[in-house]
Amino acid sequence: MEEMEENEKIAEQPCEQESSQAESPADESCEKCADAEKTSGEDACAEQEAEKEPSPEERVEALEKENADLKDQLLRRAADFDNYRKRMIKEKQEAFDYANAALLQDLLESIDNLERTVAAAEGATDAKSIADGVKMISASLVSMLENKYNLTAYGAAGEAFNPDEHEALRSEPSDDVESPVIKEVYLKGYKLKDRVIRNAKVSVSMPNEK
């Protein structure tokens, strides 16, 4: 009985070995398939990376295009700036050339009135009427300059002498003054707003030295 059991065990051992040997090629085949799939996936990734990464020639071409675009932008901006500079120069010159256009246009009315007065004076017998006409023209002109252009006249006898605003053409000592005073105005001074554009020409009474 014992011999029969041993014979059965011996008979079963080869089967187990055969089964183990039979399973081994299948496992190897699976491993090969896995390796093949892994290798195939790596190759696919490598191909995709190769497709994404540009070649040296493509890089050079892209850089040349970018350089051309930058040059074009630079030339356009340079042209725009040059046109702006020329326009500013032209506008500045026009502003300088025609800065007094408004003033001259306002003076035309006074010139027209003077011409009419001169024409009337040729056959006039009343000198007073001519003088009154000239006074009216003068008053109108002064009023226009004062109100529209802030031009004001200054300088009158009895005012304190100011060397920054008055030009003394002569001086006389006087016992009646304690400081220099304008005695006579030869030519009025004028200010444009707060700036003196012509000094008044005057004679000055100076205090006597004691």
Side-chain angles (χ1 to χ4, degrees):
M1 191 69 178
E2 292 178 357
E3 291 178 358
M4 289 178 65
E5 290 178 356
E6 289 179 0
N7 290 333
E8 288 178 359
K9 289 181 179 179
I10 293 170
E12 288 176 357
Q13 288 178 356
C15 291
E16 291 179 357
Q17 292 177 358
E18 289 177 1
S19 176
S20 176
Q21 291 176 356
E23 291 177 357
S24 179
D27 294 339
E28 291 178 359
S29 177
C30 291
E31 290 178 0
K32 289 180 180 179
C33 290
D35 293 339
E37 290 178 358
K38 183 177 180 181
T39 304
S40 177
E42 291 177 354
D43 293 341
C45 291
E47 290 178 0
Q48 290 179 358
E49 291 179 359
E51 291 177 358
K52 291 179 181 179
E53 185 176 354
S55 64
E57 292 78 5
E58 290 175 342
R59 290 181 180 179
V60 171
E61 183 179 356
L63 289 173
E64 289 178 347
K65 183 179 180 182
E66 184 179 358
N67 187 34
D69 292 340
L70 291 174
K71 283 184 178 180
D72 182 66
Q73 293 178 15
L74 180 61
L75 291 174
R76 289 177 182 274
R77 291 185 180 182
D80 292 340
F81 178 77
D82 187 57
N83 292 334
Y84 171 79
R85 181 181 62 83
K86 291 179 180 178
R87 185 169 64 253
M88 290 296 101
I89 292 174
K90 181 180 179 181
E91 291 179 358
K92 183 178 180 180
Q93 186 62 40
E94 288 179 352
F96 178 79
D97 292 340
Y98 302 103
N100 297 322
L103 172 61
L104 295 175
Q105 187 175 2
D106 291 333
L107 291 175
L108 292 177
E109 182 178 357
S110 297
I111 294 174
D112 293 338
N113 291 334
L114 284 173
E115 289 178 347
R116 283 192 285 268
T117 301
V118 171
E122 292 178 354
T125 56
D126 186 2
K128 185 177 181 302
S129 62
I130 301 300
D132 291 341
V134 172
K135 288 180 180 179
M136 289 178 61
I137 295 171
S138 176
S140 175
L141 177 60
V142 170
S143 176
M144 183 270 295
L145 293 174
E146 287 180 348
N147 296 329
K148 194 168 184 178
Y149 296 97
N150 295 314
L151 182 72
T152 56
Y154 71 91
E159 293 180 351
F161 175 76
N162 182 352
D164 294 330
E165 297 181 354
H166 306 110
E167 180 182 351
L169 300 182
R170 57 179 296 183
S171 63
E172 297 177 358
S174 174
D175 296 329
D176 300 330
V177 297
E178 296 180 356
S179 61
V181 174
I182 296 174
K183 180 180 180 180
E184 185 179 357
V185 177
Y186 301 121
L187 197 63
K188 287 183 179 181
Y190 284 92
K191 292 181 181 180
L192 180 60
K193 295 184 177 180
D194 295 330
R195 178 180 296 181
V196 176
I197 61 174
R198 190 179 79 180
N199 293 70
K201 293 175 171 45
V202 299
S203 65
V204 184
S205 295
M206 302 294 291
N208 281 323
E209 296 181 358
K210 296 181 181 180

